[in-house]
Amino acid sequence: MSKKAFIFDLDGVIVDTAKYHYKAWKKLANDLGFDFTETQNELLKGVSRVRSLEILLEIGNVSLPEGEKTKIMQDKNEHYLQYITKMGQEEILEGMYKVLLYLKKNNIPFSLGSASKNARLILTQLDLIDLFDAIVDGNDVSKAKPDPEVFLIAAQKLNANPKDCIVIEDAIAGVEAANIAGMTSIGIGDKKALNAADINLDSTAELTIDMIKELIKN
Ligand code: B16
Ligand code: MG
């Protein structure tokens, strides 16, 4: 039996930053003269910043020159960072701190595998950054999920075989990326939307230590 390794997505798995992304994208949409709903925000989960802006502009039926897009993405990020810099450990999603500590104590390697370019800052805010054996985020990849690049780099950094990696994801594109990488995928959230996952859980609270023990055994 070869050694298992875990790869965690960030937004929607370790912390709910989607609500802050939403506030910042909504302000941008409103400034451009259209509304942006929470339902529409679902489309941005797990998607890169550039792709998020494209989707938002499609929703508002707005087209902008490239230079302007860069500028408003910077503005959006600055607004988003105002929320992020106020975050603390109390925002870690239910059960996740316990899971990370269990893995650490038992010498089971784990990495972050996130699309966010702010991932290191967020993990620092949550006081989790030193727990991770590796961090792969939006700054380290050239292709966004569902491309498996982010997870394959994470496996490499952990010295793990992709087939021994277990990915925890909340986004359809993330589950797809894990499957393409040949890893075990655990989907957190809507079972219908994430039906491609090997294992489905309603929330992070269901990712128990007993389940982790089972996953390590198999
Ligand atoms: P940033 P994840 C993703 O994080 C978010 O789900 C997605 O909504 C966001 O657009 C993306 O990060 C990029 O974030 O603007 O901080 O670089 O789920 O892959 O951890
Ligand atoms: Mg996510």
Side-chain angles (χ1 to χ4, degrees):
M1 192 187 73
S2 40
K3 193 161 174 148
K4 302 282 183 187
F6 284 75
I7 305 173
F8 295 91
D9 175 50
L10 180 62
D11 174 29
V13 169
I14 291 177
V15 76
D16 176 22
T17 39
K19 60 185 181 216
Y20 302 130
H21 279 297
Y22 174 59
K23 286 183 188 213
W25 285 127
K26 187 177 166 66
K27 178 175 183 311
L28 197 147
N30 294 165
D31 289 349
L32 289 170
F34 63 95
D35 196 21
F36 179 57
T37 67
E38 277 192 70
T39 311
Q40 289 167 330
N41 190 53
E42 290 298 310
L43 299 170
L44 308 191
K45 287 191 178 170
V47 167
S48 71
R49 195 181 306 171
V50 180
R51 183 66 196 127
S52 296
L53 178 64
E54 284 169 4
I55 296 171
L56 190 84
L57 295 178
E58 279 164 26
I59 290 170
N61 211 2
V62 172
S63 61
L64 293 174
E66 285 310 309
E68 183 67 12
K69 284 189 197 168
T70 308
K71 164 85 178 68
I72 63 174
M73 269 196 301
Q74 271 166 8
D75 292 348
K76 180 267 168 181
N77 197 50
E78 273 167 31
H79 183 191
Y80 173 68
L81 289 180
Q82 287 178 15
Y83 300 110
I84 295 308
T85 48
K86 291 191 188 91
M87 288 174 82
Q89 279 209 315
E90 68 288 350
E91 293 200 40
I92 298 172
L93 289 173
E94 194 177 347
M96 292 311 287
Y97 191 55
K98 225 167 44 186
V99 165
L100 297 180
L101 283 186
Y102 178 83
L103 295 175
K104 194 85 222 160
K105 269 194 201 137
N106 289 278
N107 287 317
I108 298 152
F110 59 93
S111 173
L112 192 80
S114 165
S116 174
K117 292 189 169 175
N118 297 302
R120 286 173 171 84
L121 170 66
I122 296 167
L123 288 182
T124 303
Q125 285 290 133
L126 302 174
D127 220 0
L128 292 178
I129 193 143
D130 294 334
L131 284 181
F132 281 79
D133 298 294
I135 292 172
V136 186
D137 69 12
N139 300 295
D140 306 307
V141 296
S142 56
K143 290 169 242 144
K145 301 169 190 174
D147 190 284
E149 184 184 19
V150 63
F151 296 142
L152 290 173
I153 296 176
Q156 223 169 37
K157 285 196 175 188
L158 295 175
N159 256 326
N161 194 319
K163 73 168 177 34
D164 296 320
C165 293
I166 298 148
V167 173
I168 330 288
E169 255 292 347
D170 72 314
I172 299 169
V175 166
E176 205 182 322
N179 292 346
I180 296 170
M183 301 176 176
T184 300
S185 53
I186 301 187
I188 308 276
D190 187 352
K191 286 192 167 71
K192 263 196 204 148
L194 301 175
N195 66 356
D198 295 309
I199 299 169
N200 285 95
L201 303 177
D202 284 329
S203 76
T204 56
E206 290 183 6
L207 186 68
T208 59
I209 301 298
D210 282 347
M211 182 176 280
I212 297 286
K213 285 181 186 165
E214 271 309 303
L215 288 162
I216 295 163
K217 254 200 296 190
N218 292 330

